[in-house]
Amino acid sequence: MAASIGRMGPRVLVVEDETSISEPLASHLAREGFEPEVAGTLAAAREAIGRGEPEVILLDVMLPDGDGRDLCRDVRAHSDVPIVMLTARGEEVDRIVGLELGADDYVVKPFSAGELVARIRAIQRRGRVAGSRRAPITIGALVLDPASRSVTKDGAPIELAAKEFDLLRMLMSRAGEVVGREEIMDEVWDPHWFGPTKTLDVHISWLRKKIEDEPSSPRYITTVRGVGFRFAAPSP
Ligand code: CA
């Protein structure tokens, strides 16, 4: 593992034990202006993160000393650093679980380094856009504060995964409007996302369980059949 001292570009931690994947990927990232650092084990990854938080983490699932999803969960408990899971073909469950754990995106092996860099840049763009809208939003009993990434209901904190928060922020920032499914997927996930229906519906269902009084008859997030979702307009 190459430690990185001089800061060249955004530091990207590549957690991947297969050197046939990590070495060409690191070379490509370096050519694209990133500062890649490769960790072949969970222990090496934790050590690298301990030396300073990377700007992006690319995270394999199956590692010699454990499961990448454990690291994803641990990192997400204290940080919003973007995480892209590197998954094997057929890990359908892992995709959802990865997102539930707070991963920002995933790619399926074999992926092209160019595709992965495009994903990283999309995540960075979303972060900048999100950072520019920082005024708290209050609707009904809910208050969403983009600056602290916190949500309260009647003053009590609600724990949300990263994607749940991003989804809720988008819907609340457009309260009263019908927001199309494609538009939600483009902004909250990625324009290249495939299989949007299940992922979006799963996240909407999780959100309803957390914010609605009666998740089965939602007051805040209503489904507009065949189109998308509408967040309740604030009371006049
Ligand atoms: Ca592996």
Side-chain angles (χ1 to χ4, degrees):
M1 188 184 69
S4 49
I5 305 298
R7 297 305 302 270
M8 305 287 284
R11 181 168 165 244
V12 177
L13 179 61
V14 181
V15 187
E16 169 63 68
D17 58 315
E18 291 166 60
T19 52
S20 64
I21 295 175
S22 63
E23 283 175 4
L25 179 55
S27 302
H28 188 88
L29 287 167
R31 281 198 300 278
E32 291 285 327
F34 295 94
E35 188 188 357
E37 177 172 354
V38 175
T41 61
L42 283 181
R46 290 184 198 280
E47 193 269 332
I49 293 167
R51 276 186 282 109
E53 185 166 279
E55 295 195 32
V56 177
I57 299 175
L58 310 179
L59 183 54
D60 183 26
V61 176
M62 299 271 283
L63 290 153
D65 57 345
D67 190 322
R69 290 169 299 186
D70 291 337
L71 181 64
C72 183
R73 187 191 299 110
D74 294 349
V75 168
R76 190 52 84 233
H78 60 79
S79 166
D80 283 325
V81 57
I83 300 173
V84 180
M85 302 297 292
L86 310 177
T87 67
R89 195 167 291 285
E91 286 178 335
E92 291 289 338
V93 175
D94 289 338
R95 294 181 187 177
I96 299 296
V97 170
L99 295 167
E100 186 180 7
L101 293 174
D104 293 82
D105 205 348
Y106 70 92
V107 291
V108 177
K109 296 175 189 178
F111 52 84
S112 78
E115 177 197 358
L116 187 50
V117 166
R119 299 288 185 99
I120 294 171
R121 295 207 192 285
I123 289 171
Q124 290 181 316
R125 272 197 306 278
R126 288 201 296 274
R128 280 195 290 278
V129 170
S132 65
R133 296 190 301 247
R134 301 183 79 82
I137 307 168
T138 303
I139 297 170
L142 294 173
V143 179
L144 180 145
D145 182 1
S148 61
R149 289 185 67 86
S150 64
V151 176
T152 58
K153 182 179 180 185
D154 289 321
I158 295 177
E159 294 292 324
L160 296 179
K163 282 293 168 197
E164 293 170 352
F165 181 88
D166 293 341
L167 175 58
L168 183 60
R169 175 169 55 192
M170 182 187 187
L171 293 174
M172 285 181 76
S173 68
R174 309 247 321 248
E177 283 179 53
V178 177
V179 186
R181 303 177 68 93
E182 296 292 321
E183 198 182 342
I184 296 172
M185 294 310 296
D186 280 2
E187 179 163 329
V188 177
W189 278 270
D190 187 279
H192 308 295
W193 188 270
F194 18 81
T197 302
K198 186 177 177 187
T199 303
L200 176 54
D201 290 328
V202 165
H203 279 77
I204 289 282
S205 147
W206 286 337
L207 262 185
R208 281 176 173 152
K209 284 186 185 131
K210 292 181 178 182
I211 67 170
E212 301 281 358
D213 297 331
E214 286 290 335
S216 54
S217 53
R219 164 189 165 207
Y220 288 110
I221 303 175
T222 46
T223 303
V224 181
R225 296 234 172 269
V227 184
F229 298 93
R230 176 180 176 278
F231 202 92
S235 320

